[in-house]
Amino acid sequence: MAFEGLADRLQGTIKKITGKGKVTEADVKEMTREVRLALLEADVNFKVVKDLIKRIKERAVGQEVMDSLTPGQQVIKVVKEELTELMGGEQSKIEVNNKPPTVIMMVGLQGAGKTTTTGKLANHLRKQHNRKPLLVAADVYRPAAIDQLQTLGKQLDLPVFSKGTEANPVDIANEAIKQAKEDHQDYVIIDTAGRLHVDENLMGELQQIKSDVNPSEILLVVDSMTGQDAVNVAESFDEQLDISGVVLTKLDGDTRGGAALSIRAVTGKPIKFAGMGEKLDQLEAFHPDRMASRILGMGDVFSLIEKAEAEVDEEKAKEMQNKMKSMSFTFEDFLEQMDQVKNMGPIDELMNMMPGSGKMKGMKNMQVDDKQLSHVEAIIQSMTKKERVEPSVINASRKKRIAQGSGTSVAQVNRLLKQFEEMKKMMKQMTNQKKGKKGGMNFPFM
Ligand SMILES: Nc1nc2c(ncn2[C@@H]2O[C@H](COP(=O)(O)OP(=O)(O)O)[C@@H](O)[C@H]2O)c(=O)[nH]1
Ligand SMILES: [Mg+2]
């Protein structure tokens, strides 16, 4: 996913300075130089980098760091805090209207992900906040855009308001709000048209919708793959519409991502959500501190746990967490959790969120894809109860028997056994971090 390169680059620097018992100005200078290069390489706007580095330097050579017992760690803490500030500090939530419905306008260039995000956001509001949203098809220039929204509505089983391509977007928006009031919908999410470039006519139309419906939110949807251009686009949309927030899409892609991060600094408008894939549940609330952790390669344990909590049966989740803590998690439990794990989405996506998984080459090689899950299931099913609970008893002849029974190979059985051990190790790290104890990662401030 995005920022992987940045995280990889920063690892060496972080390690070097974290371990230091004494940090000199020269150390700080070297570290900030590395951080500066890494950020520039990740396509963060150069002015943004300059300001950031200046603040990091000031604080890193300050008393707060130099007088502490763990100056190396304090320096990294400063970097993390400044990165968090750069991305907006606190999480910024959707502004809710006192009197429903809350009207949200989605704006942005063509292909940025407005229509998809309209569906994702509706799904998010319903799932996380138990709200009733109405989707509004106000992109009247392309019939396909209306069909697309209607398809999303069907998939999500949510109502879509449309008047075809003949009606005027302003009328559509007004009528949709009226309808939402009658139907007691809590949210109205308006999917507007986009153009390939910032365009006066379109801006005029969006301004008119804005002044007519007075939305609580105007969310600018930005494709994080578009590089520095994203910053310019954000500036013009903000100038003309005074946007209330930003949704960064396609952060799952192989983008350097830095440009997108500059948007908050340049426009002063908060990033509210991040799109992490094409699927309708792949929208995450944007947490600047968690993103900073991800960027610094510390993983994003909290999003992972949140995701687990949203998908996994709560009782079971507690049980699982207790087992993780006591390290008594077995193949037996693994099998039981399999369906719930499947519900959480692609394994490699989950892996990306785990601390250190970006830099642990072993983890990258795991490549557990969803198809492989059925092999895994078969292998575990071929184990005896004892083997599931105490895998250390699985010797060569048992491996052969298990492979035969599951229609796999001994190599596959070996791989699973190894992966399971890795997984248990990671679980241990995660639960230690959550308790705030010094875990394997050694970042006590997380
Ligand atoms: N990988 C990925 N693709 C996305 C994401 N958001 C949108 N897309 C894709 O981007 C393309 C354009 O999206 P669409 O919603 O039609 O953009 P619009 O023109 O702004 O309405 C579609 O193929 C979407 O599936 C995301 O977060 N990740
Ligand atoms: Mg669209």
Side-chain angles (χ1 to χ4, degrees):
M1 71 148 231
F3 310 123
E4 223 166 67
L6 183 55
D8 277 350
R9 251 212 88 148
L10 289 174
Q11 278 315 302
T13 318
I14 289 174
K15 254 208 203 107
K16 221 190 291 171
I17 203 152
T18 307
K20 289 211 163 170
K22 189 167 167 285
V23 176
T24 63
E25 278 203 45
D27 293 330
V28 169
K29 210 167 173 185
E30 190 193 328
M31 189 252 343
T32 48
R33 196 180 143 265
E34 286 288 322
V35 172
R36 189 179 142 262
L37 286 173
L39 290 171
L40 287 173
E41 213 166 80
D43 209 19
V44 180
N45 183 284
F46 79 94
K47 254 182 64 198
V48 172
V49 174
K50 204 173 144 202
D51 291 347
L52 179 75
I53 294 297
K54 191 168 158 247
R55 279 195 308 275
I56 292 176
K57 253 189 196 154
E58 274 167 15
R59 289 186 56 193
V61 297
Q63 292 300 312
E64 122 194 61
V65 169
M66 294 302 173
D67 289 352
S68 86
L69 290 171
T70 51
Q73 286 170 358
Q74 290 299 315
V75 170
I76 302 304
K77 181 168 181 265
V78 166
V79 175
K80 190 188 162 203
E81 283 173 3
E82 289 299 334
L83 260 180
T84 304
E85 271 315 302
L86 175 79
M87 294 186 284
E90 293 277 294
Q91 182 203 358
S92 176
K93 296 191 177 162
I94 292 279
E95 202 64 52
V96 179
N97 206 6
N98 289 333
K99 232 177 74 202
T102 292
V103 179
I104 303 172
M105 236 176 114
M106 308 300 286
V107 302
L109 293 185
Q110 196 168 309
K114 288 181 297 303
T115 307
T116 314
T117 307
T118 301
K120 285 177 174 177
L121 184 57
N123 187 34
H124 173 90
L125 290 168
R126 178 177 59 183
K127 222 169 160 177
Q128 310 273 325
H129 305 280
N130 207 9
R131 290 287 179 258
K132 280 166 58 184
L134 175 66
L135 312 182
V136 184
D139 179 357
V140 295
Y141 304 102
R142 296 180 307 147
I146 299 177
D147 293 344
Q148 190 190 350
L149 196 66
Q150 264 160 348
T151 307
L152 291 177
K154 268 204 202 96
Q155 275 173 27
L156 293 167
D157 195 23
L158 285 172
V160 175
F161 186 94
S162 162
K163 295 194 65 167
T165 53
E166 294 306 312
N168 169 318
V170 182
D171 296 340
I172 295 175
N174 279 319
E175 281 183 45
I177 292 167
K178 218 175 106 206
Q179 176 88 51
K181 279 182 187 152
E182 278 167 22
D183 296 345
H184 305 287
Q185 305 273 5
D186 310 287
Y187 287 87
V188 173
I189 311 179
I190 307 174
D191 180 32
T192 67
R195 299 280 155 86
L196 289 175
H197 304 283
V198 175
D199 168 296
E200 252 176 63
N201 284 336
L202 178 68
M203 288 299 175
E205 177 180 309
L206 295 174
Q207 278 162 346
Q208 223 185 325
I209 300 179
K210 177 185 175 181
S211 71
D212 249 60
V213 308
N214 191 23
S216 303
E217 292 272 1
I218 301 180
L219 296 181
L220 174 66
V221 180
V222 178
D223 179 343
S224 55
M225 312 274 281
T226 49
Q228 286 304 319
D229 208 31
V231 180
N232 302 330
V233 167
E235 271 190 304
S236 350
F237 269 86
D238 193 34
E239 260 166 41
Q240 313 222 29
L241 288 167
D242 188 19
I243 60 172
S244 59
V246 175
V247 180
L248 292 181
T249 62
K250 311 185 196 180
L251 273 183
D252 50 307
D254 202 9
T255 156
R256 290 179 291 166
L261 292 188
S262 319
I263 289 180
R264 167 61 177 67
V266 172
T267 62
K269 298 299 164 70
I271 301 164
K272 300 209 172 187
F273 293 94
M276 306 298 297
E278 294 192 62
K279 294 209 203 91
L280 289 171
D281 59 353
Q282 291 177 315
L283 183 76
E284 291 176 12
F286 188 85
H287 296 269
D289 56 336
R290 297 181 191 178
M291 192 52 87
S293 292
R294 258 194 222 185
I295 290 175
L296 294 175
M298 300 169 187
D300 182 358
V301 192
F302 297 101
S303 291
L304 185 66
I305 287 169
E306 234 167 47
K307 204 168 161 137
E309 277 167 0
E311 296 294 346
V312 176
D313 177 322
E314 211 166 297
E315 288 275 296
K316 287 255 158 91
K318 269 208 195 96
E319 203 184 303
M320 183 163 134
Q321 269 180 6
N322 284 334
K323 285 195 156 156
M324 281 179 173
K325 264 182 216 155
S326 64
M327 289 297 288
S328 63
F329 190 79
T330 66
F331 274 118
E332 191 94 302
D333 304 311
F334 191 61
L335 197 59
E336 202 184 293
Q337 301 292 342
M338 204 78 134
D339 281 331
Q340 296 185 331
V341 170
K342 277 180 195 158
N343 287 339
M344 282 166 72
I347 295 285
D348 51 349
E349 184 188 311
L350 296 175
M351 286 299 174
N352 270 332
M353 288 190 238
M354 289 201 178
S357 61
K359 63 179 200 309
M360 276 168 74
K361 294 292 173 260
M363 295 312 302
K364 270 190 186 155
N365 294 336
M366 271 178 78
Q367 298 205 343
V368 187
D369 68 30
D370 297 322
K371 266 180 243 133
Q372 271 179 292
L373 270 187
S374 56
H375 280 157
V376 169
E377 213 165 357
I379 292 173
I380 302 175
Q381 261 153 0
S382 295
M383 292 178 187
T384 62
K385 192 163 167 103
K386 184 167 172 64
E387 287 164 349
R388 288 180 200 170
V389 177
E390 207 187 320
S392 57
V393 303
I394 305 178
N395 56 18
S397 74
R398 283 177 189 252
K399 281 177 189 167
K400 215 160 142 195
R401 192 206 77 239
I402 293 168
Q404 263 165 3
S406 58
T408 60
S409 64
V410 171
Q412 277 170 299
V413 175
N414 273 330
R415 197 177 326 139
L416 177 64
L417 291 172
K418 210 169 139 234
Q419 285 168 352
F420 192 71
E421 278 314 305
E422 297 258 7
M423 192 170 110
K424 282 179 77 165
K425 259 189 241 153
M426 303 239 307
M427 284 176 176
K428 198 175 164 202
Q429 275 184 358
M430 281 169 56
T431 46
N432 279 346
Q433 278 187 356
K434 215 189 163 194
K435 278 184 293 191
K437 248 182 23 184
K438 267 197 196 184
M441 299 297 293
N442 228 1
F443 291 125
F445 49 86
M446 259 191 75

